[in-house]
Amino acid sequence: MPDKTAETPPRVIVVMPARNAARTLERTFSGIPREVVDEIILVDDASTDTTVDLARALPLHLIWHPHNVGYGGNQKTCYLEALQRGTDIVVMLHPDGQYEPGLIPDMIAPIVRGEADLVLGSRLAEPGAALRGGMPLYKYVANRVLTAIENQILHTDLSELHTGYRAYSRKLLMSIPFLRNALDFSFDSEVLMQASHFGFRIVEVPVRTIYDEDASSIGLGASVVYGLRTLKAAGRLVLHRNNLWRCRKFMP
Ligand SMILES: Nc1nc2c(ncn2[C@@H]2O[C@H](COP(=O)(O)OP(=O)(O)O)[C@@H](O)[C@H]2O)c(=O)[nH]1
Ligand SMILES: [Mg+2]
């Protein structure tokens, strides 16, 4: 008898954590290759523009937060809802147009092949491309330095650990206690530390860097806070691993 489960394609859900994404939402949405995506969830984090009105008019599943909780808090809602809706693979796609939705098949391929549980869309895989794409120099330098430090701690050799374009397997999201993570941007770094700690395979695929005037991007102050909190998360992982200071984020 043929193995039916082997033929069933995985259920793929795209989640969009949104905050004031009205100018870019429709363009991002229309670029999503629906032939490989089963459902799209948009979580609006109390936007003050027309993001919610625009989202209501699109064929997607909309959730809105009655108050703003931040980028990490938004992702918690995204992943909870995707898991409840039976996803096998989740792709996080920022609705601000900074990542190409057309690359979703590339993002999910390593998980479909059973070769990874976390796929990072790396803007730094191709030398020089990030700066040519408009990434501010200070962000580029900080990204490279932080990535080098994290590679040492995670025992990886990845070109970028600060991308907002990611795909996760259901198994990973069911295993890492992501609800215990930060509400701010350091949520993303904590997920990486957890993925490594729980033994999940992380791979990267190259993506284009897009910085245009419609996109949102965190400023200098928030970037510094993010960088310091990323280092803190890495430090906590080292302490936890060595039984020096246990951290609930790394407990099953
Ligand atoms: N800044 C911010 N972004 C949020 C929030 N909730 C969801 N987002 C979304 O998260 C994405 C990343 O934020 P962004 O400002 O573009 O940061 P970037 O990663 O530096 O480009 C955007 O697409 C926002 O729409 C929030 O509370 N604050
Ligand atoms: Mg952005």
Side-chain angles (χ1 to χ4, degrees), residues 5-39:
T5 52
E7 289 160 24
T8 315
R11 186 167 163 73
V12 177
I13 295 185
V14 168
V15 298
M16 295 199 284
R19 166 89 176 159
N20 296 340
R23 276 175 304 176
T24 50
L25 176 59
E26 282 162 326
R27 177 159 47 92
T28 307
F29 178 87
S30 64
I32 296 173
R34 291 311 305 256
E35 59 280 10
V36 297
V37 173
D38 294 278
E39 232 185 316

Side-chain angles (χ1 to χ4, degrees), residues 16-21 43-45 47 68-72 74-75 92-99 123 139 162-164 183 185 188 211 215-219 223:
M16 295 199 284
R19 166 89 176 159
N20 296 340
V43 178
D44 181 76
D45 202 18
S47 291
N68 179 255
V69 285
Y71 173 67
N74 191 324
Q75 283 187 64
M92 170 170 70
L93 175 67
H94 288 180
D96 69 345
Q98 281 196 283
Y99 298 98
R123 297 167 295 182
K139 285 200 179 186
H162 303 283
T163 170
L183 294 171
F185 282 86
D188 277 354
Y211 273 83
S216 59
S217 219
I218 60 170
S223 297

